[in-house]
Amino acid sequence: MAEPEFTAKGVRIGKRLRSLTRAGQIRISDGRLELLTSYGSEIDSAPVQAVRASRPWYAPEDRALADLNGNRYLLTLGEHDPAPGRPGPPAARRFIEAVRRAAGRGN
């Protein structure tokens, strides 16, 4: 298995008004985006080319939207990238850029 192109831990993943996990994981590897619970169980996954990632205009900087398989997920990452060696999820902006890069859509 290849090294993941993007990994984030400690991510709050929600669907509509319901929180699915408060410490989930996001992984982009081998052309696939996976949303995982804190225990590593899969919530949803899809090929990166079929995923749409964006920043909602109505939410703070630490939030991102991801559309997978007809489902819209609200992801709460970090407002800023954590300091080197510090725990915490990367910025939502880095997640959106990683999805676009992995799908070959550029920046």
Side-chain angles (χ1 to χ4, degrees), residues 42-101:
E42 186 176 293
I43 295 171
D44 205 347
S45 71
V48 185
Q49 290 83 5
V51 174
R52 204 172 89 212
S54 60
R55 224 188 69 59
W57 60 269
Y58 56 84
E61 291 280 322
D62 64 345
R63 308 254 167 92
L65 291 173
D67 292 323
L68 285 82
N69 303 321
N71 296 312
R72 176 169 285 174
Y73 296 95
L74 179 62
L75 311 171
T76 305
L77 293 105
E79 274 191 52
H80 307 288
D81 289 329
R86 295 285 187 145
R93 171 186 44 78
R94 277 200 37 224
F95 164 70
I96 295 167
E97 290 170 2
V99 170
R100 290 179 180 159
R101 232 183 357 264

